[in-house]
Amino acid sequence: MAGSTFGNYFKITTWGESHGKALGVVVDGCPAGIPLTEEDIQKFLDRRKPGQSRYSTPRKEDDRVELLSGVFEGHTTGAPISMIVFNKSQRSADYSEIAGYYRPGHADYTFDLKYGFRDYRGGGRSSARETIGRVAAGAIAVKLLNRLGIDFTTYTQAIGPVSIDPASFDAAQIPLNPLNMPDAAAAERAAAYLDECRSAQDSSGGVVECIVSHMIPGLGDPVFEKLSANLAKAIFSIGAVKSFELGDGLAAARARGSENNDAFRSTEDGIRKATNHSGGTLGGISDGSDLLLRVGIKPTPSIFATQQTVNKSGEPIEINIKGRHDPVVVPRAVVVVEAMTALTIVDALFANMHAKLSSIESFYDRRA
Amino acid sequence: MAGSTFGNYFKITTWGESHGKALGVVVDGCPAGIPLTEEDIQKFLDRRKPGQSRYSTPRKEDDRVELLSGVFEGHTTGAPISMIVFNKSQRSADYSEIAGYYRPGHADYTFDLKYGFRDYRGGGRSSARETIGRVAAGAIAVKLLNRLGIDFTTYTQAIGPVSIDPASFDAAQIPLNPLNMPDAAAAERAAAYLDECRSAQDSSGGVVECIVSHMIPGLGDPVFEKLSANLAKAIFSIGAVKSFELGDGLAAARARGSENNDAFRSTEDGIRKATNHSGGTLGGISDGSDLLLRVGIKPTPSIFATQQTVNKSGEPIEINIKGRHDPVVVPRAVVVVEAMTALTIVDALFANMHAKLSSIESFYDRRA
Amino acid sequence: MAGSTFGNYFKITTWGESHGKALGVVVDGCPAGIPLTEEDIQKFLDRRKPGQSRYSTPRKEDDRVELLSGVFEGHTTGAPISMIVFNKSQRSADYSEIAGYYRPGHADYTFDLKYGFRDYRGGGRSSARETIGRVAAGAIAVKLLNRLGIDFTTYTQAIGPVSIDPASFDAAQIPLNPLNMPDAAAAERAAAYLDECRSAQDSSGGVVECIVSHMIPGLGDPVFEKLSANLAKAIFSIGAVKSFELGDGLAAARARGSENNDAFRSTEDGIRKATNHSGGTLGGISDGSDLLLRVGIKPTPSIFATQQTVNKSGEPIEINIKGRHDPVVVPRAVVVVEAMTALTIVDALFANMHAKLSSIESFYDRRA
Amino acid sequence: MAGSTFGNYFKITTWGESHGKALGVVVDGCPAGIPLTEEDIQKFLDRRKPGQSRYSTPRKEDDRVELLSGVFEGHTTGAPISMIVFNKSQRSADYSEIAGYYRPGHADYTFDLKYGFRDYRGGGRSSARETIGRVAAGAIAVKLLNRLGIDFTTYTQAIGPVSIDPASFDAAQIPLNPLNMPDAAAAERAAAYLDECRSAQDSSGGVVECIVSHMIPGLGDPVFEKLSANLAKAIFSIGAVKSFELGDGLAAARARGSENNDAFRSTEDGIRKATNHSGGTLGGISDGSDLLLRVGIKPTPSIFATQQTVNKSGEPIEINIKGRHDPVVVPRAVVVVEAMTALTIVDALFANMHAKLSSIESFYDRRA
């Protein structure tokens, strides 16, 4: 199946392998008239760049994006926007050995089953480098949403057992620590935990949260194209994601109706919910309160410790994965979660424009 | 947006409101040659029928399905299968009052915002009765998958704070207690908890789990059409769902790589994983082990206790929701989760048939 | 493949066989707020009704449509609109014989090849009765477009060798003669020709034209979703269609650029084309001039004359098709062409609403 | 709307403008295991190359394709295939003048209306250079179909009033004359006609035909995804196309049923049609006989003669289009028609694999 396209209206198609010539994305359905430069995109890509701290891979990935189409005189034209990042640091030699066996926790086995063989250099399409295209496209989506007043706050909520303390939440901290945590003290504890993992030749999972504020209400379409449902898909399409929650999430399942219901009240800005257990949607449609989503990410499967597995012939072997790998991918996943969230919202935003006859009539009014 | 269609290959379109003339579904893309009767569908619908115990609404919903097309001489023909259930028990009077205000936890507010007005009789499209179409379509999907050897075990894992004990897991119990729990003792404790909720004019959430065994490996497509991503969307499209987990889910975020990785080993049946922390996928593609998914469901928002809200003019009011409502929807959601899971797998199953040139060549081989 | 759905934004799904219980359509993505009654739909269905003259089948098809969902208090709600027509006049006996052989010009053979067997009663999904769903959905699309000032003139341009004389074009004639020709004299000659066909136990093809006036410019999307391309698909999805032309059509292939180019000029209403060889699009996008499309329809394959064919075992046989069949389907196809054209335009109309950032910004402007 | 993607299963996304940095295409859903080199693609691109004769533009377009992803060790991997052609010969100066006015027959006006402004350098996305991506993708589709035994014969059937003589049809001639006509004498007459057009500072239209032989029967899906309907869309998505016919096409509209019906007969190869008026489909599904489609293409709108038009302010002006333009695009469109036809067939080929339960069961049979 053609699985490399996301979105119905604002549609992105990513391509490229970690060790091929290049990776990229085509963004189709982008409205004309958005001011856009390579620098706008680069800023987002830099947020997923490895090698920024000792908690991410020491690979040098000087990923420079090039805009190849869809922009003219500094503005989007409505034509598809093609963006490309050439691969520079491909040490395929590191990977030749893994061609013959199946790494636990990786997609080697399933790709071989499905396609009969695989591009074994660094995971091919299941590599985290595939997210370059998502982030480049997400940069445009975020820019568009920012113009409409919508803001994103995305961060590491937990690394392994170390969570942030909600009472110490400080968004300004997010870019100040290499783990992107909004709590400096938690970031230090998490760093210590990661050092411990590294010493043990092990890796850690974690949790990313994304808050979307000043949301436009009415986005999402009953019954299968709920905003919540498309967010779930968007987030679960990111490699390593194992859980997705909206608002109180799993905690709501433990709660009673009287605790979980958000009462409506009148405010100066109109009708609002007094609380936000629902996480920003009702019936899957945005209700104007903040979107709040929580994403559980598994520990990096590439660990330095010896592991049991089999080779392609099914013979049991012991392996030691070499190469350069992140002991934790969570901080780098922050911008990917933000990108996928923004792409989903833009899609719902466009879809909502023809929900009412009166909107269509005023849009196309030709009497004047 | 046209949001009433799910699936790319095996495509269902549901329609109908809780208090309209009828509800139904059109299943398109169903292969020709499946033996199919109304009774096959009815069995599934009966699993979501209310009024079966004191823990679900006492409404009489004698939902009888009619097959209107796509079946000839007892077999599917490849043509769209239209199924309809006429609404018999519409007491709209119960609902006239709610036209003027917004019930907490319901979609009244967001539907009004989005569409300018709403069918206020019982929630319209956001009613749980919309799932009739999903379940009817899911019955066909399950039947198709059963023929390929794939089996489903779906059940209530928790009601509020009461969870099943994995050590006492007994699938045979599922249809024997009204809560569909695979643990008779837990079911009793849960029943007691629900009685308590009812006395307090309150409601409860819970958790549904679905295990798909004898899975076909290789299903799901990188990178956006991962089986896991489409399951997340399928499940989150069900009203009241607030969390979705695959395998260890959120617990994986707390774990280390050495704990979370599933080692490969050789068995009589071929290469298998020694454990199944991943919940049946690797890289989003089914790996042949059981699919395991966990779904958090919020408490029923319709409670009998007095609630604060506003009317359409924004004036604060106190309301007491009348009518017949489930104190918990979780047991009735079990078959809906199963249906959506099956629909997603069938879609991935068809999509996988053209993944390899060699498969296509042997399918269309005309030399003989 | 799930092939019963048309449209991306305004999406219709038709279902039902000519000799099943019922036929119908689900219209999804219809905006809220359109006044809609069963009578609105019925008027369109009556235009495709057979038995209105001696040139169409004497079958009594008293097709009454029922609206089952998506309309509340006389207006569309944004929910899917389900419409159904029950089959009343199914004389399956007429068809039992054809189960065993392949009628020339019919889809019997290809359905058997594709699906392994077929619903042989009257053509199943390849029956002209399938268009009931298209016409019912098209009625809503036309109503919506009329509100925006867009008008349709659709008619029979030719029956066999008898064409209308452009100099005598009179739209008022279209509903006045049973052949729907805008030229009374041509209609008489065509009627005589059909009488001749009938005497010869033969049938006739013909041509339908559709003019869409007061078109909104800017509809259609480069490069694959051109308005022209989607019209071509929409029209060619109608059974029996063998050619599609836009504007001068095939004649443009014989012309020179100096003849075929439409010069631009200024008028009181703004920039307009001095001529309309292009038929209303430039680059596949509507240019504000009238859309003009021309549709060639093959003669009815069911003729009373003896024909050569084979039975399912491949043995040569002679057949005489019995039953009640139109000597020409062209006049009844007029409303089907109009419906498919309208559905295509509505889809493009919605798609165009997010083409420009400035449109999106003013749509969602929240400063006031 | 995101309009740059074609196909549901074998999905292509083209991008790039005639005067941007590059043009390209992403092919997603291509099966794994197809041997593929840049040379396979280049051969097809060379067929659309201009500057090969005096009847096409003297621009030097040394279009070299680069394969950027989706191929590993000489075979497709199932991952998206990204192909790029860098623009080398962009003389934007030629185009600066046209920024201010609307060329007759071009999309300048509609792009301005739709998007608010346009990339005026050479037509942007409406340039014929956009077809580079289609042809590159089509090369893969043709290669895949060739492996299944399906063959293509595509050629110029007419230039202006000069048509080939069916009695002199000689496929071997197609690559031997610069007009790609299968009739050397007609090609000479057509060349003389084009010389005449050129002297008159004018241009010519023409007709392309495509014959697909050894077709697999059963392709195409009722009712909206008919093979015929998708071919109509595919072909009409090519710029400058004004008519599409299948089999006898418009001539069928003039015929009687007894003439137009194709009788079935038994042959050594099984059941076949004695004639092929239908052009290879019945009920929109391929019937095993040759597909025959005919495409009318308008004359190049860029002519050297003086033309009337308006500038963006609506003031009438006279223009003389400069630059390098084909007096006829028809011969270069031949490979584009073939590419779009092949892409459509591949899509239908994959879609057909899950039409029957028995096919699915044998595909996934795990008993052995």
Side-chain angles (χ1 to χ4, degrees):
Chain A
M1 186 190 193
S4 301
T5 295
F6 182 81
N8 291 303
Y9 296 67
F10 190 89
K11 197 176 268 187
I12 74 165
T13 303
T14 71
W15 57 268
E17 293 87 30
S18 57
H19 287 65
K21 285 191 184 173
L23 300 109
V25 64
V26 181
V27 179
D28 195 23
C30 184
I34 305 178
L36 191 69
T37 65
E38 287 180 352
E39 205 41 42
D40 291 327
I41 312 298
Q42 193 62 45
K43 263 187 261 171
F44 267 71
L45 285 183
D46 288 349
R47 288 173 60 192
R48 72 169 290 291
K49 201 156 83 173
Q52 301 192 117
S53 76
R54 70 180 187 283
Y55 307 110
S56 60
T57 166
R59 283 196 305 277
K60 284 266 174 292
E61 292 184 7
D62 188 16
D63 293 330
R64 297 302 307 174
V65 71
E66 285 181 54
L67 263 168
L68 296 177
S69 69
V71 176
F72 182 58
E73 297 182 342
H75 291 76
T76 59
T77 63
I81 300 169
S82 178
M83 296 182 279
I84 194 168
V85 169
F86 284 94
N87 280 322
K88 287 176 180 156
S89 166
Q90 310 121 301
R91 285 205 277 160
S92 290
D94 283 350
Y95 293 97
S96 57
E97 188 184 324
I98 68 172
Y101 62 76
Y102 298 127
R103 292 170 297 167
H106 278 280
D108 305 340
Y109 176 65
T110 49
F111 270 68
D112 261 13
L113 275 177
K114 187 174 188 78
Y115 297 115
F117 80 121
R118 72 182 193 276
D119 181 346
Y120 50 74
R121 303 164 303 165
R125 282 295 278 171
S126 67
S127 161
R129 279 187 72 69
E130 178 270 329
T131 61
I132 284 177
R134 301 174 185 237
V135 172
I140 304 176
V142 170
K143 184 154 197 188
L144 201 164
L145 294 172
N146 286 167
R147 286 187 74 105
L148 300 172
I150 294 174
D151 294 317
F152 290 81
T153 309
T154 322
Y155 52 88
T156 301
Q157 188 269 340
I159 296 282
V162 184
S163 303
I164 61 167
D165 177 358
S168 312
F169 188 97
D170 177 9
Q173 280 294 324
I174 300 171
L176 297 185
N177 64 77
L179 300 178
N180 292 329
M181 293 182 106
D183 173 345
E188 279 190 35
R189 289 198 307 280
Y193 176 74
L194 287 176
D195 284 339
E196 191 191 317
C197 289
R198 182 196 306 277
S199 307
Q201 300 195 306
D202 216 333
S203 63
S204 174
V207 177
V208 171
E209 284 185 348
C210 179
I211 297 169
V212 189
S213 45
H214 310 117
M215 265 297 289
I216 291 173
L219 308 189
D221 290 84
V223 296
F224 296 113
E225 302 295 337
K226 290 183 165 93
L227 182 59
S228 47
N230 279 317
L231 286 169
K233 175 171 180 171
I235 296 302
F236 247 90
S237 76
I238 304 170
V241 168
K242 302 306 289 184
S243 73
F244 174 79
E245 298 174 88
L246 194 66
D248 285 3
L250 187 58
R254 317 286 184 215
R256 296 197 182 186
S258 61
E259 300 159 342
N260 186 66
N261 281 352
D262 299 309
F264 289 103
R265 59 174 183 177
S266 262
T267 73
E268 284 184 2
D269 299 326
I271 294 172
R272 291 287 182 276
K273 288 155 47 193
T275 52
N276 188 17
H277 298 291
S278 80
T281 66
L282 282 169
I285 301 171
S286 65
D287 62 19
S289 57
D290 288 358
L291 271 185
L292 171 56
L293 43 95
R294 195 174 308 105
V295 184
I297 295 176
K298 73 173 184 181
T300 321
S302 288
I303 55 176
F304 291 96
T306 301
Q307 295 186 89
Q308 309 296 324
T309 190
V310 296
N311 62 21
K312 292 173 77 168
S313 317
E315 294 159 342
I317 55 171
E318 289 200 338
I319 60 164
N320 287 84
I321 296 176
K322 301 190 192 74
R324 303 153 299 172
H325 301 287
D326 295 350
V328 69
V329 296
V330 177
R332 296 182 61 198
V334 164
V335 70
V336 184
V337 167
E338 184 169 312
M340 293 308 300
T341 303
L343 289 164
T344 307
I345 295 172
V346 169
D347 220 49
L349 193 86
F350 293 178
N352 183 51
M353 292 179 72
H354 39 82
K356 275 186 289 200
L357 175 64
S358 55
S359 311
I360 299 164
E361 286 181 331
S362 60
F363 189 95
Y364 284 113
D365 187 5
R366 297 181 287 177
R367 282 167 305 184
Chain B
M1 186 191 192
S4 301
T5 296
F6 182 82
N8 292 302
Y9 295 67
F10 191 89
K11 196 176 267 187
I12 75 165
T13 302
T14 71
W15 57 269
E17 293 87 30
S18 57
H19 286 65
K21 285 190 182 174
L23 300 109
V25 64
V26 181
V27 179
D28 195 23
C30 184
I34 305 178
L36 190 70
T37 65
E38 286 180 354
E39 205 42 42
D40 292 327
I41 312 298
Q42 193 63 46
K43 263 187 261 173
F44 267 70
L45 286 183
D46 288 349
R47 288 173 61 192
R48 71 168 291 291
K49 200 157 84 174
Q52 301 192 117
S53 77
R54 71 181 187 280
Y55 308 110
S56 60
T57 167
R59 284 195 305 276
K60 284 266 175 290
E61 291 184 8
D62 189 16
D63 293 329
R64 298 300 307 173
V65 70
E66 285 181 53
L67 263 168
L68 297 177
S69 69
V71 176
F72 182 59
E73 297 182 342
H75 291 76
T76 59
T77 62
I81 301 169
S82 178
M83 296 183 280
I84 193 168
V85 169
F86 284 93
N87 280 321
K88 287 176 180 156
S89 166
Q90 310 121 300
R91 284 204 277 159
S92 291
D94 284 349
Y95 294 98
S96 57
E97 188 185 324
I98 67 171
Y101 62 76
Y102 298 127
R103 292 170 296 167
H106 279 280
D108 304 340
Y109 175 65
T110 49
F111 270 68
D112 261 13
L113 274 178
K114 187 176 188 77
Y115 297 115
F117 80 121
R118 73 181 193 277
D119 181 346
Y120 50 75
R121 303 165 303 165
R125 282 295 279 170
S126 67
S127 161
R129 279 187 71 69
E130 178 270 329
T131 61
I132 285 177
R134 301 175 185 234
V135 171
I140 303 176
V142 170
K143 185 154 195 188
L144 201 165
L145 293 172
N146 285 167
R147 286 187 75 105
L148 301 172
I150 295 174
D151 294 317
F152 290 82
T153 309
T154 322
Y155 52 88
T156 301
Q157 188 269 339
I159 297 282
V162 184
S163 302
I164 61 167
D165 177 358
S168 312
F169 188 97
D170 177 9
Q173 279 295 323
I174 300 171
L176 298 184
N177 65 77
L179 300 177
N180 293 328
M181 292 182 106
D183 173 345
E188 279 190 36
R189 289 196 308 278
Y193 176 74
L194 287 175
D195 284 339
E196 192 191 317
C197 289
R198 181 196 307 277
S199 307
Q201 300 195 307
D202 217 331
S203 64
S204 174
V207 177
V208 172
E209 284 186 347
C210 179
I211 297 169
V212 189
S213 44
H214 311 117
M215 265 297 287
I216 291 172
L219 308 189
D221 290 85
V223 295
F224 296 112
E225 302 295 336
K226 290 184 165 92
L227 182 60
S228 46
N230 279 317
L231 286 169
K233 174 170 182 172
I235 296 303
F236 246 90
S237 77
I238 305 170
V241 168
K242 301 306 289 184
S243 73
F244 174 79
E245 298 174 87
L246 195 66
D248 286 1
L250 187 59
R254 318 286 184 214
R256 295 198 182 185
S258 60
E259 300 159 342
N260 187 66
N261 281 352
D262 299 310
F264 288 104
R265 58 174 185 178
S266 262
T267 73
E268 285 185 1
D269 298 326
I271 295 172
R272 290 287 181 276
K273 286 155 47 194
T275 51
N276 189 17
H277 297 291
S278 80
T281 67
L282 283 168
I285 301 171
S286 64
D287 62 20
S289 57
D290 288 358
L291 271 185
L292 170 56
L293 44 95
R294 195 173 307 105
V295 184
I297 296 175
K298 74 174 184 179
T300 321
S302 287
I303 56 177
F304 291 95
T306 302
Q307 296 186 88
Q308 310 296 323
T309 190
V310 296
N311 62 21
K312 291 173 77 167
S313 317
E315 294 159 342
I317 56 172
E318 289 200 337
I319 60 164
N320 288 85
I321 297 176
K322 301 190 191 73
R324 304 152 297 173
H325 300 287
D326 295 351
V328 68
V329 296
V330 177
R332 295 182 62 198
V334 164
V335 69
V336 183
V337 166
E338 184 170 312
M340 293 309 300
T341 302
L343 290 164
T344 307
I345 296 172
V346 169
D347 220 48
L349 193 85
F350 293 178
N352 183 53
M353 292 178 72
H354 39 82
K356 274 187 290 201
L357 176 64
S358 55
S359 311
I360 299 165
E361 286 181 331
S362 60
F363 189 94
Y364 284 113
D365 186 6
R366 296 181 287 177
R367 282 167 305 184
Chain C
M1 186 192 192
S4 301
T5 296
F6 183 82
N8 292 303
Y9 294 67
F10 189 89
K11 196 176 267 188
I12 75 165
T13 302
T14 71
W15 57 268
E17 293 87 30
S18 57
H19 286 66
K21 284 190 184 175
L23 300 110
V25 64
V26 181
V27 179
D28 196 22
C30 183
I34 305 179
L36 190 70
T37 65
E38 288 180 352
E39 204 43 42
D40 292 327
I41 312 299
Q42 193 62 47
K43 262 186 262 171
F44 266 71
L45 286 181
D46 289 349
R47 287 173 60 192
R48 71 167 290 292
K49 201 158 83 175
Q52 301 191 121
S53 76
R54 71 180 187 281
Y55 308 111
S56 60
T57 165
R59 285 194 305 276
K60 282 267 173 289
E61 291 183 8
D62 187 17
D63 293 328
R64 296 301 307 173
V65 71
E66 285 181 54
L67 263 169
L68 297 177
S69 70
V71 176
F72 183 58
E73 298 182 340
H75 292 76
T76 59
T77 63
I81 301 169
S82 178
M83 298 182 279
I84 193 169
V85 169
F86 284 94
N87 280 322
K88 288 178 179 153
S89 166
Q90 310 121 302
R91 284 204 278 162
S92 292
D94 285 349
Y95 294 98
S96 57
E97 189 185 323
I98 67 171
Y101 62 76
Y102 299 128
R103 292 170 296 167
H106 279 279
D108 304 339
Y109 176 65
T110 49
F111 270 67
D112 261 13
L113 274 178
K114 186 176 189 76
Y115 297 114
F117 80 121
R118 73 182 195 276
D119 181 346
Y120 50 74
R121 303 165 303 165
R125 282 296 278 169
S126 67
S127 160
R129 278 188 71 69
E130 179 270 331
T131 60
I132 284 176
R134 302 175 185 235
V135 171
I140 303 175
V142 169
K143 183 153 196 188
L144 201 164
L145 294 173
N146 286 167
R147 286 187 74 105
L148 300 172
I150 295 174
D151 295 317
F152 291 81
T153 309
T154 321
Y155 52 87
T156 301
Q157 188 269 340
I159 297 282
V162 184
S163 303
I164 61 166
D165 176 358
S168 312
F169 188 97
D170 177 8
Q173 279 295 323
I174 300 171
L176 299 184
N177 65 76
L179 301 178
N180 292 329
M181 293 182 106
D183 173 346
E188 278 190 37
R189 289 196 308 277
Y193 176 74
L194 287 175
D195 284 339
E196 192 191 316
C197 289
R198 182 196 306 277
S199 307
Q201 300 193 308
D202 216 331
S203 63
S204 174
V207 177
V208 171
E209 284 186 348
C210 179
I211 297 169
V212 189
S213 44
H214 312 117
M215 265 297 288
I216 289 173
L219 308 189
D221 290 85
V223 294
F224 297 112
E225 302 296 336
K226 291 184 165 90
L227 182 59
S228 46
N230 279 317
L231 287 169
K233 175 171 181 172
I235 296 302
F236 246 90
S237 77
I238 304 170
V241 169
K242 302 306 289 183
S243 73
F244 174 79
E245 298 174 87
L246 195 66
D248 286 2
L250 187 59
R254 316 284 183 217
R256 296 196 181 186
S258 61
E259 299 159 342
N260 187 66
N261 281 353
D262 298 310
F264 288 104
R265 58 173 184 177
S266 261
T267 72
E268 284 185 2
D269 298 326
I271 295 172
R272 290 288 181 278
K273 287 155 48 194
T275 52
N276 189 17
H277 297 292
S278 81
T281 66
L282 282 168
I285 301 171
S286 65
D287 61 20
S289 56
D290 288 358
L291 271 184
L292 170 56
L293 44 95
R294 195 174 308 105
V295 184
I297 296 175
K298 74 174 185 179
T300 320
S302 288
I303 55 177
F304 291 96
T306 302
Q307 295 185 88
Q308 310 296 323
T309 189
V310 296
N311 62 19
K312 291 172 79 166
S313 317
E315 296 159 340
I317 55 172
E318 289 199 338
I319 60 164
N320 288 82
I321 297 175
K322 301 188 192 74
R324 303 153 298 172
H325 300 287
D326 294 350
V328 69
V329 296
V330 178
R332 296 181 61 198
V334 164
V335 69
V336 184
V337 166
E338 184 169 313
M340 294 307 301
T341 302
L343 289 164
T344 306
I345 295 172
V346 169
D347 220 49
L349 193 86
F350 293 178
N352 183 51
M353 292 178 73
H354 39 82
K356 275 187 289 200
L357 175 64
S358 55
S359 310
I360 300 164
E361 285 181 331
S362 61
F363 189 95
Y364 284 113
D365 186 6
R366 297 181 287 176
R367 283 167 303 183
Chain D
M1 186 191 193
S4 302
T5 296
F6 183 82
N8 291 302
Y9 295 68
F10 190 90
K11 196 176 268 189
I12 75 166
T13 303
T14 71
W15 57 268
E17 294 87 30
S18 57
H19 286 65
K21 285 190 184 175
L23 300 110
V25 63
V26 181
V27 179
D28 196 23
C30 183
I34 305 178
L36 190 69
T37 65
E38 288 180 353
E39 204 42 42
D40 291 328
I41 313 297
Q42 193 62 47
K43 262 187 262 170
F44 266 71
L45 285 182
D46 289 349
R47 287 173 61 192
R48 71 168 290 291
K49 201 157 82 174
Q52 302 191 118
S53 76
R54 71 180 187 280
Y55 307 111
S56 60
T57 165
R59 284 194 305 276
K60 281 268 172 288
E61 291 183 7
D62 187 17
D63 292 329
R64 296 303 306 174
V65 71
E66 284 181 54
L67 263 169
L68 297 177
S69 70
V71 176
F72 182 58
E73 298 182 341
H75 291 77
T76 59
T77 63
I81 300 169
S82 178
M83 297 182 279
I84 193 169
V85 169
F86 284 94
N87 280 321
K88 288 178 179 153
S89 166
Q90 309 121 303
R91 285 204 278 161
S92 291
D94 285 350
Y95 294 97
S96 57
E97 188 185 323
I98 67 171
Y101 62 76
Y102 298 127
R103 291 171 297 166
H106 278 279
D108 304 339
Y109 176 64
T110 48
F111 270 67
D112 261 12
L113 274 178
K114 186 175 189 77
Y115 297 115
F117 79 120
R118 72 182 194 277
D119 181 346
Y120 49 75
R121 302 166 302 165
R125 282 295 277 170
S126 67
S127 160
R129 279 187 71 69
E130 179 271 331
T131 61
I132 285 177
R134 301 175 185 235
V135 171
I140 303 176
V142 169
K143 183 152 197 191
L144 201 164
L145 294 172
N146 285 167
R147 286 186 75 104
L148 300 171
I150 294 174
D151 295 317
F152 290 81
T153 309
T154 322
Y155 52 88
T156 301
Q157 188 268 340
I159 297 282
V162 184
S163 303
I164 60 166
D165 176 358
S168 312
F169 188 97
D170 177 9
Q173 279 294 323
I174 300 171
L176 299 184
N177 64 76
L179 300 177
N180 291 330
M181 294 182 105
D183 174 344
E188 279 190 37
R189 289 197 308 278
Y193 177 74
L194 286 176
D195 284 339
E196 191 191 317
C197 289
R198 182 196 306 276
S199 308
Q201 300 194 307
D202 216 330
S203 63
S204 174
V207 176
V208 171
E209 283 186 348
C210 179
I211 296 169
V212 189
S213 44
H214 311 116
M215 264 298 287
I216 291 172
L219 308 189
D221 289 85
V223 293
F224 296 113
E225 302 295 337
K226 291 184 165 91
L227 182 59
S228 46
N230 279 318
L231 286 168
K233 176 171 179 170
I235 296 302
F236 246 91
S237 76
I238 304 170
V241 169
K242 302 307 289 184
S243 73
F244 174 79
E245 298 173 88
L246 195 65
D248 286 2
L250 187 59
R254 317 283 183 217
R256 296 196 180 186
S258 60
E259 300 159 342
N260 186 66
N261 281 353
D262 298 310
F264 289 104
R265 59 174 184 176
S266 261
T267 73
E268 285 185 2
D269 299 325
I271 295 172
R272 291 287 181 278
K273 288 154 47 193
T275 51
N276 189 18
H277 298 292
S278 80
T281 66
L282 282 168
I285 301 171
S286 65
D287 60 20
S289 56
D290 289 357
L291 271 185
L292 171 56
L293 44 95
R294 195 174 308 105
V295 184
I297 296 176
K298 74 174 185 180
T300 320
S302 287
I303 55 176
F304 291 96
T306 302
Q307 295 185 90
Q308 309 295 323
T309 189
V310 296
N311 63 20
K312 291 173 80 168
S313 316
E315 295 159 341
I317 55 171
E318 289 200 338
I319 60 164
N320 288 83
I321 297 176
K322 300 189 192 74
R324 302 153 299 173
H325 300 288
D326 295 350
V328 68
V329 296
V330 176
R332 295 182 62 198
V334 164
V335 70
V336 184
V337 166
E338 184 170 312
M340 294 308 301
T341 302
L343 290 164
T344 307
I345 295 172
V346 169
D347 220 49
L349 193 86
F350 293 179
N352 183 51
M353 292 179 72
H354 39 83
K356 275 187 289 200
L357 176 64
S358 55
S359 311
I360 299 165
E361 285 181 332
S362 60
F363 189 94
Y364 284 113
D365 186 5
R366 297 180 287 176
R367 283 167 303 184

